[in-house]
Amino acid sequence: MIAIVKRLLGRGEPMLSTAGARDARRLAALHAASFHRGWSDGEFETLLIDRNIVADRATVGSNLVGFILSRVAADEAEILSVAVATARRGKGLARRLLDLNLRRLAGLGARTVFLEVDEGNLPARKLYRRAGFREVGRREGYYPQGKGAAALILRRDLG
């Protein structure tokens, strides 16, 4: 019976909440599964205790299925990372996390949000374009994998 309940809970709608230092290990694991160079538990712990970091997570039961991490500096913010578990991609979870994070950033006084995205990451580029981000620059050869893909610098003005 318990196994059935756990299995059913694992299929539910992800719940969004604030991430904290206690989540560092799970965020690091999802980040490592999502990117060529994952950040360590220690890197996440350092970020998550910083008062300028805004971190949101998506969970289904006790399973972490997504997160977004950003940093506020005066009236600007930078989205540092967004990751969604493979099985949950393409279902709107990244957009829900992004929308929540942008609302929180605006509430903290951020007027402009920046991020960098691999030019070859078409799903992420589509997400950001639909959320109102526009390209304002590029860093050639920024990502070391392959031939060194460019990072697109994107910007969105809030309210």
Side-chain angles (χ1 to χ4, degrees), residues 63-96:
N63 298 317
L64 177 75
V65 295
F67 73 84
I68 184 168
L69 195 70
S70 56
R71 174 182 288 128
V72 178
D75 66 348
E76 293 185 349
E78 178 185 11
I79 295 174
L80 303 174
S81 189
V82 180
V84 172
T86 303
R88 295 285 175 162
R89 292 181 187 161
K91 299 175 182 172
L93 181 55
R95 181 60 191 252
R96 287 180 57 209

Side-chain angles (χ1 to χ4, degrees), residues 81-142:
S81 189
V82 180
V84 172
T86 303
R88 295 285 175 162
R89 292 181 187 161
K91 299 175 182 172
L93 181 55
R95 181 60 191 252
R96 287 180 57 209
L97 284 163
L98 179 61
D99 289 346
L100 172 61
N101 200 258
L102 291 174
R103 285 193 309 273
R104 290 187 62 206
L105 293 171
L108 292 169
R111 294 177 185 229
T112 307
V113 180
F114 294 92
L115 63 87
E116 293 176 350
V117 63
D118 183 328
E119 71 177 338
N121 188 341
L122 299 181
R125 289 177 59 189
K126 182 178 177 182
L127 166 72
Y128 299 132
R129 184 177 57 253
R130 287 182 173 174
F133 284 85
R134 68 184 191 285
E135 185 177 335
V136 294
R138 63 188 289 124
R139 296 176 195 235
E140 294 296 337
Y142 183 77

